[in-house]
């Protein structure tokens, strides 16, 4: 249970920090979901957790964070698919 709590906390923090690519909500949600899923899956692999479940949760959290923030709060520039 401690591993799951730690992983969830890390996933939430990372998803919030890295979900700022793009100027419109759709781009921000996609970039946040991708980064959140990847980060959570990597964290789960490190602690021998369920990688698939972690990627799902991280993707949902990252996508939500990207969708709910605006470029004035967090902005890492345009995503690679818009350049």
């Amino acid at each position: 249970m401690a591993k799951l709590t730690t992983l969830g906390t890390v996933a939430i923090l990372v998803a919030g920090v890295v979900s700022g690519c793009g100027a419109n909500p759709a781009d921000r949600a996609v970039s946040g979901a991708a980064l959140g899923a990847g980060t959570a899956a990597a964290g789960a692999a490190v602690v021998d957790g369920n990688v698939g479940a972690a990627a799902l949760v991280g993707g949902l959290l990252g996508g939500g964070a990207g969708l709910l923030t605006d470029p004035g709060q967090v902005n890492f520039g345009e995503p690679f698919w818009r350049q």
Side-chain angles (χ1 to χ4, degrees), residues 14-36 39 61-83:
V14 171
V17 170
V18 301
S19 63
C21 295
N24 66 56
D27 285 344
R28 295 174 68 78
V30 169
S31 65
L35 292 167
T39 302
L61 292 172
L67 188 62
L68 297 175
T69 58
D70 64 51
Q73 294 171 312
V74 180
N75 187 359
F76 294 120
E78 288 297 314
F80 70 90
W81 60 87
R82 296 278 185 201
Q83 295 181 3

